[in-house]
Amino acid sequence: MSEALHMPQPALEDLIAMLWREGFKVLGPVARDGAVGFDEVRKVSDLAVAMRDTQEPGRYRLGQGAAGEIFGVVNGAFSLKPFFFAPEETLLEAKRERRGFKVSEVAPVAPPLAFIGVRACDLAALAVQDRIFLHDRFHDTHYQARRKDAFLVAVNCARSAPTCFCVSMKTGPEATTGFDLSLTELEQGFVTRSGSAAGEAIAAKLGLSAAGQNEVVSAKARIDGCAAGMQRGLDPTDLPRLLYAEAENPRWKDAASRCLSCTNCTMVCPTCFCHAVVDQEELDGNMSRRVRKWDSCFSLEHAHIHGINFRPKIENRYRQWLTHKLAAWIDQFGTSGCVGCGRCITWCPVGIDLTAEVAAIRAHPVKR
Amino acid sequence: MKPRAAVFKFASCDGCQLQFLNAEDELLKLAGQVDFVYFPEARSRALEGPYDIAFVEGSITTPDDARRIIKVREESHYLATIGACATAGGIQALRNWADVEQYRRVTYPSPEFISTLSTSTPISEHVRVDCEVWGCPVDQHQLLAVVRSLLSKARPVLPAYSVCMDCKRRGNVCVVVARGAPCLGPVTRTGCGALCPAFNRGCYGCFGPADDQNMESFARLLASQGVTGDDAVRRLRGINGYVRPWRETADAIAADKK
């Protein structure tokens, strides 16, 4: 890990201004409509300063936080996902010509983005999405165009929401990789570290001095305290085997009796990558756009193939989602699809908690 | 040859057929592709059938209309219902739970001239329907997409998943979770682009039920938000109140209260 530097609070203002000057569009956690979300920030006061989130299954409230605290809110409904894997975008256009038609790719419009205040879970999720969209020979050019120049300023968590379980997923609360700069907020300023050459260059321009030993200790104590205080956990032991074996566990039906199949969990999940590709024709039939949109395994159409729907019931779909996320994902990508951000718990309108579902299946297996 | 299209009106407010005329940017293209030979709201010249495509707006509320829809079906190769009234019975289906005879006597000075049915029912209860376009009113883009599909001889495909999916694609903060607002979004079919939640209001269910939904759980969610009894019934018996999953849930809540 790189050297710990001391960043006084005013230097955060400088950092934001510097990133704008470097050509980035700078985004950070901003309060909007009762939650935080990544939105444009020009100055520190644009951020959700002195605010705190209260989260529980199916409930999120934003309230007053500690005076002067800049990163008091753990997270909001949206991760980095929408910024790299667009909710809806045109991939190509086909235009009718005198004979036949001409297909042209639509290049994504992608100004370089800088994010301030990214949590360790969301960095881990980004690594999962990178694995999906940029693996090996096959690169998703649209994802890549947005992703390649992104500058990421992580914030280590000093508190967790009751829905967080990153410790059990080994993704947080401290950002250890995948960032350009990381910050740990203290009473007076931040302890910052660079995680890339780009981060190092920016840190050098900011002219930061080395952090004092007591600051380093205090930063570590905050992160450790956050980890120790985390209330939720998901036991990952032998999960793939358990979930495959328990395909007929009655708990799936039980979860389905609560599940609205509304798709919210998959939409807010920072790793869910399912999408639909649809053709949208112009009315005169002379042009057609091929559009990619976020999709969800909770919609009935998602499992509709020629002549049959192979996941007709909600219990089929809930099982599909959870088993893919926590088990098949590992076979497929070598990593779990879950990073423990807890969004699917908070933003489920009826508060279904995947950690509780897994625990229930583990506690009452039908197969031994 | 351009296909011959007709737009028929039954018990409705005309808002759905107006979506054709409101498609201002597309209107010339539309007229270039389709010949609206019967569309009283748009042109005074009305030609006889048969029609290639019939767009039917409104529900069946009178004995005359119950006969007329059969003739429309006979004259039309393809029949699409447009809007909540034609597809689900509409807001006027509230009469299905009321005493229509009493309404008639109270409302009209000469009730003997009013010939009406005791129910408002969707077109599909009377004739075979080839395509249902939901909404109150229908979404113009969906309407034109149906036209385009038919021109291409393709089966129109309209999304049937929940409003939540479009709500999240749009980047809205969930009004249920962040504000505790009652919202029909989780059980409602998309089509509006999550319009109301984008303005911080719960969904009213204008597009009817999503293709699969869990109404028992949804009723419990409403109850947990303090929406019970008459309040819950009124929310479900709105624009699409007579459509089966919502009707049955509202009826069950109403029966529970008694």
Short mmCIF file of all heavy atoms in Angstrom, two decimals, chain A residues 15-65:
data_model
loop_
_atom_site.label_atom_id
_atom_site.label_comp_id
_atom_site.label_asym_id
_atom_site.label_seq_id
_atom_site.Cartn_x
_atom_site.Cartn_y
_atom_site.Cartn_z
N LEU A 15 -9.01 19.29 -4.95
CA LEU A 15 -9.06 18.04 -5.73
C LEU A 15 -10.20 18.08 -6.75
O LEU A 15 -10.03 17.75 -7.93
CB LEU A 15 -9.22 16.84 -4.79
CG LEU A 15 -9.45 15.48 -5.46
CD1 LEU A 15 -8.26 15.07 -6.33
CD2 LEU A 15 -9.73 14.40 -4.43
N ILE A 16 -11.37 18.51 -6.28
CA ILE A 16 -12.53 18.58 -7.17
C ILE A 16 -12.24 19.54 -8.33
O ILE A 16 -12.44 19.20 -9.50
CB ILE A 16 -13.80 19.02 -6.40
CG1 ILE A 16 -14.19 17.94 -5.38
CG2 ILE A 16 -14.96 19.30 -7.35
CD1 ILE A 16 -15.29 18.36 -4.42
N ALA A 17 -11.72 20.72 -7.98
CA ALA A 17 -11.42 21.73 -9.02
C ALA A 17 -10.36 21.20 -9.98
O ALA A 17 -10.46 21.39 -11.20
CB ALA A 17 -10.95 23.02 -8.36
N MET A 18 -9.37 20.51 -9.42
CA MET A 18 -8.28 20.00 -10.27
C MET A 18 -8.80 18.95 -11.25
O MET A 18 -8.43 18.95 -12.43
CB MET A 18 -7.19 19.41 -9.37
CG MET A 18 -5.97 18.95 -10.14
SD MET A 18 -4.74 18.29 -9.00
CE MET A 18 -4.22 19.78 -8.16
N LEU A 19 -9.68 18.08 -10.78
CA LEU A 19 -10.22 17.04 -11.67
C LEU A 19 -11.03 17.66 -12.79
O LEU A 19 -10.97 17.21 -13.94
CB LEU A 19 -11.04 16.03 -10.86
CG LEU A 19 -10.21 15.12 -9.94
CD1 LEU A 19 -11.11 14.34 -8.98
CD2 LEU A 19 -9.35 14.15 -10.75
N TRP A 20 -11.78 18.70 -12.47
CA TRP A 20 -12.53 19.40 -13.53
C TRP A 20 -11.54 19.98 -14.55
O TRP A 20 -11.74 19.86 -15.75
CB TRP A 20 -13.39 20.54 -12.95
CG TRP A 20 -14.72 20.08 -12.42
CD1 TRP A 20 -15.07 19.93 -11.11
CD2 TRP A 20 -15.88 19.70 -13.17
NE1 TRP A 20 -16.37 19.49 -11.00
CE2 TRP A 20 -16.90 19.34 -12.25
CE3 TRP A 20 -16.18 19.63 -14.54
CZ2 TRP A 20 -18.17 18.93 -12.65
CZ3 TRP A 20 -17.45 19.22 -14.93
CH2 TRP A 20 -18.43 18.87 -14.00
N ARG A 21 -10.47 20.61 -14.01
CA ARG A 21 -9.47 21.22 -14.92
C ARG A 21 -8.80 20.17 -15.80
O ARG A 21 -8.45 20.42 -16.94
CB ARG A 21 -8.41 21.97 -14.12
CG ARG A 21 -8.86 23.36 -13.66
CD ARG A 21 -7.65 24.23 -13.31
NE ARG A 21 -6.79 23.63 -12.31
CZ ARG A 21 -6.98 23.72 -10.99
NH1 ARG A 21 -8.00 24.40 -10.52
NH2 ARG A 21 -6.15 23.14 -10.15
N GLU A 22 -8.63 18.97 -15.23
CA GLU A 22 -8.00 17.88 -15.99
C GLU A 22 -8.93 17.31 -17.06
O GLU A 22 -8.56 16.38 -17.78
CB GLU A 22 -7.57 16.75 -15.05
CG GLU A 22 -6.58 17.16 -13.98
CD GLU A 22 -5.12 17.01 -14.42
OE1 GLU A 22 -4.85 16.07 -15.19
OE2 GLU A 22 -4.29 17.82 -14.00
N GLY A 23 -10.15 17.81 -17.11
CA GLY A 23 -11.07 17.39 -18.16
C GLY A 23 -12.11 16.37 -17.73
O GLY A 23 -12.87 15.87 -18.55
N PHE A 24 -12.15 16.07 -16.44
CA PHE A 24 -13.15 15.11 -15.96
C PHE A 24 -14.46 15.82 -15.65
O PHE A 24 -14.45 16.98 -15.24
CB PHE A 24 -12.68 14.43 -14.66
CG PHE A 24 -11.52 13.50 -14.84
CD1 PHE A 24 -10.23 13.90 -14.51
CD2 PHE A 24 -11.72 12.23 -15.34
CE1 PHE A 24 -9.16 13.04 -14.67
CE2 PHE A 24 -10.65 11.36 -15.50
CZ PHE A 24 -9.35 11.77 -15.18
N LYS A 25 -15.53 15.07 -15.80
CA LYS A 25 -16.78 15.49 -15.18
C LYS A 25 -16.76 14.85 -13.80
O LYS A 25 -16.60 13.63 -13.70
CB LYS A 25 -17.97 14.98 -16.01
CG LYS A 25 -19.30 15.39 -15.45
CD LYS A 25 -20.44 14.86 -16.30
CE LYS A 25 -21.77 15.22 -15.65
NZ LYS A 25 -22.89 14.67 -16.39
N VAL A 26 -16.89 15.65 -12.76
CA VAL A 26 -16.72 15.13 -11.41
C VAL A 26 -18.08 14.84 -10.77
O VAL A 26 -18.97 15.70 -10.77
CB VAL A 26 -15.92 16.11 -10.53
CG1 VAL A 26 -15.64 15.51 -9.15
CG2 VAL A 26 -14.60 16.48 -11.22
N LEU A 27 -18.22 13.64 -10.25
CA LEU A 27 -19.47 13.23 -9.62
C LEU A 27 -19.19 12.76 -8.20
O LEU A 27 -18.12 12.20 -7.92
CB LEU A 27 -20.10 12.08 -10.42
CG LEU A 27 -20.38 12.39 -11.89
CD1 LEU A 27 -19.98 11.22 -12.76
CD2 LEU A 27 -21.82 12.74 -12.10
N GLY A 28 -20.15 13.00 -7.35
CA GLY A 28 -20.02 12.56 -5.96
C GLY A 28 -21.39 12.34 -5.35
O GLY A 28 -22.40 12.64 -5.99
N PRO A 29 -21.43 11.82 -4.13
CA PRO A 29 -22.74 11.58 -3.49
C PRO A 29 -23.45 12.88 -3.16
O PRO A 29 -22.99 13.68 -2.35
CB PRO A 29 -22.38 10.80 -2.22
CG PRO A 29 -20.92 11.03 -2.00
CD PRO A 29 -20.31 11.36 -3.31
N VAL A 30 -24.56 13.09 -3.84
CA VAL A 30 -25.36 14.30 -3.69
C VAL A 30 -26.75 13.88 -3.23
O VAL A 30 -27.26 12.86 -3.66
CB VAL A 30 -25.45 15.03 -5.07
CG1 VAL A 30 -26.46 16.15 -5.04
CG2 VAL A 30 -24.07 15.55 -5.49
N ALA A 31 -27.33 14.67 -2.33
CA ALA A 31 -28.68 14.34 -1.84
C ALA A 31 -29.71 14.76 -2.88
O ALA A 31 -29.67 15.88 -3.38
CB ALA A 31 -28.95 15.05 -0.52
N ARG A 32 -30.57 13.82 -3.22
CA ARG A 32 -31.64 14.11 -4.19
C ARG A 32 -32.82 13.20 -3.93
O ARG A 32 -32.65 11.99 -3.81
CB ARG A 32 -31.12 13.90 -5.62
CG ARG A 32 -32.18 14.09 -6.70
CD ARG A 32 -31.61 13.87 -8.09
NE ARG A 32 -31.16 12.51 -8.34
CZ ARG A 32 -31.93 11.54 -8.81
NH1 ARG A 32 -33.19 11.75 -9.06
NH2 ARG A 32 -31.43 10.33 -9.04
N ASP A 33 -34.00 13.77 -3.80
CA ASP A 33 -35.23 12.99 -3.62
C ASP A 33 -35.14 11.99 -2.47
O ASP A 33 -35.61 10.86 -2.58
CB ASP A 33 -35.59 12.25 -4.93
CG ASP A 33 -35.91 13.22 -6.06
OD1 ASP A 33 -36.38 14.33 -5.75
OD2 ASP A 33 -35.67 12.87 -7.23
N GLY A 34 -34.49 12.39 -1.40
CA GLY A 34 -34.51 11.55 -0.21
C GLY A 34 -33.45 10.47 -0.14
O GLY A 34 -33.51 9.58 0.70
N ALA A 35 -32.46 10.53 -1.04
CA ALA A 35 -31.36 9.57 -0.99
C ALA A 35 -30.14 10.23 -1.60
O ALA A 35 -30.25 11.29 -2.21
CB ALA A 35 -31.71 8.28 -1.75
N VAL A 36 -28.97 9.62 -1.43
CA VAL A 36 -27.82 10.15 -2.15
C VAL A 36 -27.67 9.39 -3.46
O VAL A 36 -28.07 8.23 -3.59
CB VAL A 36 -26.48 10.07 -1.37
CG1 VAL A 36 -26.52 10.94 -0.13
CG2 VAL A 36 -26.10 8.64 -1.06
N GLY A 37 -27.10 10.08 -4.43
CA GLY A 37 -26.79 9.46 -5.70
C GLY A 37 -25.62 10.20 -6.30
O GLY A 37 -25.39 11.37 -5.96
N PHE A 38 -24.86 9.53 -7.16
CA PHE A 38 -23.73 10.21 -7.80
C PHE A 38 -24.26 11.24 -8.79
O PHE A 38 -25.00 10.91 -9.71
CB PHE A 38 -22.83 9.20 -8.53
CG PHE A 38 -21.95 8.44 -7.58
CD1 PHE A 38 -22.21 7.12 -7.27
CD2 PHE A 38 -20.85 9.06 -6.98
CE1 PHE A 38 -21.40 6.41 -6.38
CE2 PHE A 38 -20.05 8.37 -6.09
CZ PHE A 38 -20.32 7.04 -5.79
N ASP A 39 -23.87 12.46 -8.54
CA ASP A 39 -24.32 13.55 -9.38
C ASP A 39 -23.18 14.57 -9.48
O ASP A 39 -22.20 14.48 -8.73
CB ASP A 39 -25.56 14.21 -8.75
CG ASP A 39 -26.55 14.65 -9.82
OD1 ASP A 39 -26.10 15.01 -10.93
OD2 ASP A 39 -27.76 14.65 -9.55
N GLU A 40 -23.33 15.51 -10.39
CA GLU A 40 -22.26 16.48 -10.63
C GLU A 40 -21.92 17.28 -9.37
O GLU A 40 -22.82 17.77 -8.69
CB GLU A 40 -22.74 17.42 -11.74
CG GLU A 40 -21.62 18.16 -12.42
CD GLU A 40 -22.15 18.96 -13.61
OE1 GLU A 40 -22.73 18.35 -14.54
OE2 GLU A 40 -21.96 20.18 -13.61
N VAL A 41 -20.63 17.39 -9.06
CA VAL A 41 -20.21 18.25 -7.96
C VAL A 41 -19.14 19.23 -8.44
O VAL A 41 -18.19 18.85 -9.11
CB VAL A 41 -19.67 17.46 -6.74
CG1 VAL A 41 -20.78 16.78 -5.99
CG2 VAL A 41 -18.61 16.46 -7.14
N ARG A 42 -19.34 20.50 -8.09
CA ARG A 42 -18.38 21.55 -8.44
C ARG A 42 -17.58 21.96 -7.20
O ARG A 42 -16.49 22.47 -7.30
CB ARG A 42 -19.11 22.77 -8.98
CG ARG A 42 -19.85 22.50 -10.28
CD ARG A 42 -18.94 22.81 -11.45
NE ARG A 42 -19.57 22.42 -12.71
CZ ARG A 42 -18.95 22.47 -13.88
NH1 ARG A 42 -17.68 22.87 -13.94
NH2 ARG A 42 -19.55 22.11 -14.98
N LYS A 43 -18.21 21.78 -6.05
CA LYS A 43 -17.56 22.16 -4.80
C LYS A 43 -18.03 21.22 -3.69
O LYS A 43 -19.04 20.52 -3.84
CB LYS A 43 -17.88 23.62 -4.46
CG LYS A 43 -19.35 23.95 -4.54
CD LYS A 43 -19.56 25.46 -4.47
CE LYS A 43 -21.03 25.83 -4.37
NZ LYS A 43 -21.88 25.24 -5.41
N VAL A 44 -17.27 21.24 -2.59
CA VAL A 44 -17.56 20.30 -1.49
C VAL A 44 -19.00 20.44 -0.99
O VAL A 44 -19.67 19.45 -0.70
CB VAL A 44 -16.55 20.51 -0.34
CG1 VAL A 44 -16.97 19.72 0.89
CG2 VAL A 44 -15.15 20.07 -0.78
N SER A 45 -19.50 21.68 -0.96
CA SER A 45 -20.85 21.88 -0.41
C SER A 45 -21.94 21.27 -1.30
O SER A 45 -23.09 21.17 -0.88
CB SER A 45 -21.11 23.37 -0.19
OG SER A 45 -20.99 24.06 -1.42
N ASP A 46 -21.59 20.85 -2.53
CA ASP A 46 -22.57 20.13 -3.36
C ASP A 46 -22.80 18.72 -2.83
O ASP A 46 -23.82 18.09 -3.13
CB ASP A 46 -22.09 20.03 -4.81
CG ASP A 46 -22.08 21.37 -5.53
OD1 ASP A 46 -22.81 22.28 -5.07
OD2 ASP A 46 -21.36 21.50 -6.53
N LEU A 47 -21.82 18.20 -2.09
CA LEU A 47 -21.92 16.83 -1.57
C LEU A 47 -22.93 16.78 -0.42
O LEU A 47 -23.31 17.81 0.14
CB LEU A 47 -20.54 16.36 -1.08
CG LEU A 47 -19.45 16.26 -2.14
CD1 LEU A 47 -18.07 16.18 -1.49
CD2 LEU A 47 -19.68 15.04 -3.02
N ALA A 48 -23.33 15.57 -0.07
CA ALA A 48 -24.30 15.39 1.01
C ALA A 48 -23.59 15.56 2.36
O ALA A 48 -23.42 14.61 3.12
CB ALA A 48 -24.95 14.02 0.91
N VAL A 49 -23.18 16.80 2.63
CA VAL A 49 -22.41 17.10 3.85
C VAL A 49 -23.33 17.11 5.07
O VAL A 49 -24.48 17.54 4.99
CB VAL A 49 -21.70 18.48 3.69
CG1 VAL A 49 -20.92 18.83 4.95
CG2 VAL A 49 -20.79 18.47 2.47
N ALA A 50 -22.81 16.62 6.19
CA ALA A 50 -23.55 16.60 7.46
C ALA A 50 -24.87 15.86 7.36
O ALA A 50 -25.88 16.27 7.91
CB ALA A 50 -23.76 18.03 7.97
N MET A 51 -24.86 14.79 6.59
CA MET A 51 -26.07 13.97 6.46
C MET A 51 -25.74 12.54 6.81
O MET A 51 -24.59 12.12 6.73
CB MET A 51 -26.62 14.05 5.04
CG MET A 51 -27.04 15.43 4.63
SD MET A 51 -27.86 15.41 3.04
CE MET A 51 -29.48 15.88 3.54
N ARG A 52 -26.76 11.81 7.19
CA ARG A 52 -26.60 10.38 7.45
C ARG A 52 -27.80 9.64 6.88
O ARG A 52 -28.90 10.17 6.84
CB ARG A 52 -26.52 10.12 8.97
CG ARG A 52 -25.16 10.51 9.51
CD ARG A 52 -24.61 9.45 10.43
NE ARG A 52 -23.20 9.74 10.68
CZ ARG A 52 -22.55 9.40 11.78
NH1 ARG A 52 -23.17 8.76 12.74
NH2 ARG A 52 -21.28 9.68 11.91
N ASP A 53 -27.53 8.40 6.50
CA ASP A 53 -28.62 7.56 6.01
C ASP A 53 -29.04 6.59 7.09
O ASP A 53 -28.22 6.14 7.89
CB ASP A 53 -28.17 6.80 4.76
CG ASP A 53 -26.83 6.10 4.95
OD1 ASP A 53 -26.05 6.55 5.82
OD2 ASP A 53 -26.55 5.11 4.25
N THR A 54 -30.32 6.30 7.14
CA THR A 54 -30.84 5.22 7.98
C THR A 54 -31.36 4.17 7.02
O THR A 54 -32.21 4.47 6.19
CB THR A 54 -32.00 5.72 8.86
OG1 THR A 54 -31.59 6.93 9.47
CG2 THR A 54 -32.35 4.70 9.93
N GLN A 55 -30.80 2.97 7.12
CA GLN A 55 -31.24 1.93 6.19
C GLN A 55 -31.68 0.70 6.97
O GLN A 55 -31.09 0.34 7.99
CB GLN A 55 -30.10 1.53 5.25
CG GLN A 55 -29.60 2.68 4.36
CD GLN A 55 -28.74 2.19 3.22
OE1 GLN A 55 -29.01 1.19 2.58
NE2 GLN A 55 -27.66 2.92 2.96
N GLU A 56 -32.71 0.08 6.47
CA GLU A 56 -33.14 -1.23 6.97
C GLU A 56 -33.85 -1.91 5.81
O GLU A 56 -34.09 -1.27 4.78
CB GLU A 56 -34.05 -1.06 8.20
CG GLU A 56 -35.29 -0.23 7.94
CD GLU A 56 -36.09 0.03 9.21
OE1 GLU A 56 -35.78 1.00 9.93
OE2 GLU A 56 -37.03 -0.75 9.44
N PRO A 57 -34.18 -3.17 5.93
CA PRO A 57 -34.84 -3.82 4.79
C PRO A 57 -36.09 -3.07 4.36
O PRO A 57 -37.00 -2.86 5.16
CB PRO A 57 -35.17 -5.22 5.34
CG PRO A 57 -34.12 -5.46 6.38
CD PRO A 57 -33.88 -4.12 7.01
N GLY A 58 -36.10 -2.63 3.11
CA GLY A 58 -37.27 -1.96 2.55
C GLY A 58 -37.44 -0.51 2.97
O GLY A 58 -38.48 0.09 2.71
N ARG A 59 -36.42 0.06 3.62
CA ARG A 59 -36.59 1.43 4.10
C ARG A 59 -35.27 2.19 4.05
O ARG A 59 -34.24 1.67 4.45
CB ARG A 59 -37.12 1.41 5.54
CG ARG A 59 -37.59 2.75 6.03
CD ARG A 59 -38.27 2.59 7.40
NE ARG A 59 -38.88 3.84 7.84
CZ ARG A 59 -38.20 4.81 8.46
NH1 ARG A 59 -36.91 4.68 8.69
NH2 ARG A 59 -38.81 5.92 8.83
N TYR A 60 -35.35 3.43 3.57
CA TYR A 60 -34.17 4.30 3.48
C TYR A 60 -34.62 5.72 3.84
O TYR A 60 -35.63 6.20 3.32
CB TYR A 60 -33.63 4.29 2.05
CG TYR A 60 -32.35 5.08 1.82
CD1 TYR A 60 -31.13 4.43 1.71
CD2 TYR A 60 -32.37 6.47 1.69
CE1 TYR A 60 -29.95 5.14 1.49
CE2 TYR A 60 -31.20 7.19 1.46
CZ TYR A 60 -29.99 6.52 1.36
OH TYR A 60 -28.82 7.22 1.12
N ARG A 61 -33.90 6.34 4.76
CA ARG A 61 -34.19 7.73 5.07
C ARG A 61 -32.89 8.50 5.19
O ARG A 61 -31.90 7.97 5.67
CB ARG A 61 -34.95 7.86 6.40
CG ARG A 61 -36.36 7.31 6.40
CD ARG A 61 -37.32 8.10 5.51
NE ARG A 61 -38.67 7.57 5.59
CZ ARG A 61 -39.12 6.51 4.89
NH1 ARG A 61 -38.31 5.88 4.07
NH2 ARG A 61 -40.37 6.10 5.03
N LEU A 62 -32.93 9.72 4.72
CA LEU A 62 -31.77 10.59 4.83
C LEU A 62 -32.06 11.59 5.95
O LEU A 62 -33.14 12.17 5.99
CB LEU A 62 -31.60 11.33 3.49
CG LEU A 62 -30.21 11.65 2.98
CD1 LEU A 62 -29.30 10.45 3.06
CD2 LEU A 62 -30.30 12.17 1.56
N GLY A 63 -31.10 11.75 6.84
CA GLY A 63 -31.32 12.69 7.95
C GLY A 63 -30.06 13.46 8.27
O GLY A 63 -29.05 13.36 7.57
N GLN A 64 -30.17 14.20 9.33
CA GLN A 64 -29.05 15.03 9.78
C GLN A 64 -27.90 14.16 10.26
O GLN A 64 -28.12 13.15 10.92
CB GLN A 64 -29.55 15.89 10.95
CG GLN A 64 -28.54 16.87 11.47
CD GLN A 64 -28.95 18.29 11.11
OE1 GLN A 64 -30.12 18.65 11.19
NE2 GLN A 64 -28.00 19.10 10.68
N GLY A 65 -26.69 14.56 9.91
CA GLY A 65 -25.52 13.84 10.38
C GLY A 65 -24.65 14.73 11.25
O GLY A 65 -25.10 15.77 11.72
#
